[in-house]
Amino acid sequence: MNHWLTAPILIPLLGGILQIFIGYAPLSLRRTLAMTTTVLLLAASVVLLILASDGSYRVYAFGNWEPPFGIVLVLDRLSALMVLMTAILAFFCHLYSMNKADESSRQFHALFLFELMGLNIAFLTGDLFNLFVAFEVLLIASYGLMMQGHGTERTIPSLHYVVLNLAGSALFLISVGMLYSVTGTLNMADLAAKIPQVSAEDLPMVQAGGLMLLVVFGLKAAVLPLSFWLPKAYGNATAPVAALFAVMTKVGFYAIVRVFTLVFGAQAGALAGLGLDWLFPMALATLAMGVIGAVGARSLRTLITWQVIISVGTLLAAVALGTEAGTSAALFYMLNTTWVVGGLFLVVDLVSGQRGSASDKIVTAPRMYNRTLLSVLFLLGAVAAVGLPPLSGFFAKVLILQATTPGVEMAWLWGTLIIGSFFTLVAYSRAGSIVFWRNVDGHVEKPGKLTLSLGVAAGGLIAMAIIIVLLAGPISAYVDATAAQLFDTGAYLEILDTTAVKGGA
Amino acid sequence: MELAYALVIGALTASGVYLMLRARTFPVVMGLTLLSYGVNLFLFSSGRLATGGQPIIGSTADYADPLPQALVLTAIVIGFAMTAFVVVLALRNQADNDDDHVDGRRPAPSPDEDNEEDKGR
């Protein structure tokens, strides 16, 4: 039992509860406490990463109910990586929100911290039903966050988002019920052990349940037929919220990786590799649609929301290869894309604040006060997102391309990814050159101020693209080890080696 | 018992899905509620249906699985909270847009353009 595992859940929980009680305290006090919470969370996730990097599984059994009977948290390399990635993104988003975004509602910081708690439960849990609960926790916080800000334009996208996700939750419960009715367990390790032993007559039930899980996770990750809610929902949220939501699609991605490599992995007998055949074409179609959306985007915000969909397509295409190299490349790409897309949301918000009524539309407008800084940040972000050398996006995409083996899959993946990247480049260059170069003289009267903290928040996330390149060696060693650990499902099952399972000694 | 139970789940889910596809927020909320009832019943049945069983192995020949009951309880609580949120959101939509259409306003601004579009379909 290692109590550190509960830290990424307890820290935002306690911090969030505190924020609820001090809703009427001065704003500066609330900001200080909220920031302290996020910094503590960041520190705890670094500790977890160091713990996890020895490659063993750490289990925390709630109430000392040993798996598979109780709910467990399991820390491995993948969980630690996701928690740290979220904490870094959250730190910068939180810093950015301390300027204006948190003034619209007294509950902003509480919701923000609860959202982080939900994300961390989802990444750490070793139980399928607990994953459902984590999804609900992070979703209800995200509903609240999405409604932040003034004006009425958020109501309709939020309504669509909530209804869709409720329908998704219903599907999740149905698939959980189907899996439980056959296997009699919802612990992920126990499921992985039980599924190869499922009798032939029960197999269709498990298969249907597994594929419905894929649909639910696909909805969270915004895979093609389930992704039309995303541009409007993200496009209308306030900037720090939209930037934090860059990690929300990665929850779906994480769930797919976790469940479909562990439970329906190579050892799953008749169900090995379930869903991967579907995932690959869907992911490529998602990628293609994201590119089409990006080329057709009329505002910078919309352009970045389509970039989220492009990233999802790329990530899932690499995972759907079903190989260690593919998963490792996807994890490397995930770090790059989550931070950079988050940073781009913040940069675009800064840009639109200095353009008056033109806001973030891709049209000619008065020149920005801080045009040089903002244009450089946008350029770096775009280069990293498109995948041009020398920034991290390039290396990530090369890793994905290298992960394929010659064949039909390779032709499709190389074709879609390279042509897609080219058109994304066209979209970014067009947007960037109109917004930053085609200006009329003079400035707008009341531009949004670029304070130090705003610049640090936006610049920090974009700078992660450079930091990933500088630390490419250690990071790629870590993700390689993560992928190796994921595919060695036998080791995960060892967490079931408890006295309760072995019959008591 | 199984047949009746399955028919109830099927009827609830089918009505729920039908209502969710309506264009007004009130039927959509009702649909979500019915769907969650159907799902809860389904989840409950995943532990097999047993009458008069105790949730302890060995106490009776026919025992009731306690885990799905716990899962259903959790799902009911979460579903209740979510429904409350959707209702508030639907009211906000009504207040913001003076209409309870799921897209904010009914798509009928200028009669000429619309008629042509309708003929096109």
Side-chain angles (χ1 to χ4, degrees), chain A residues 129 132-133 136 140 143-144 147 151-152 155-156 158-160 162-163 166-167 170 173-174 177-178 180-181 186, chain B residues 20 25 28 32 35 39 42-43 46 48 65 67-68 71 74-75 78 82 85-86 89 92-93 96-97 102-104:
Chain A
F129 193 79
F132 164 77
V133 175
E136 297 306 308
I140 201 153
Y143 302 155
M147 296 295 290
T152 58
T155 315
I156 293 299
S158 298
L159 185 70
H160 294 180
V162 173
V163 170
L166 285 182
L173 283 176
I174 293 176
M178 285 167 117
Y180 181 80
S181 68
L186 287 173
Chain B
M20 259 171 57
T25 49
V28 169
L32 280 172
L35 184 65
V39 168
F42 178 85
L43 200 56
S46 68
R48 303 297 183 271
D65 192 343
L67 191 73
L71 300 186
T74 316
I78 291 177
M82 294 294 179
F85 188 81
V86 182
L89 205 55
R92 168 100 183 251
N93 175 30
D96 284 351
N97 299 309
V102 287
D103 284 330

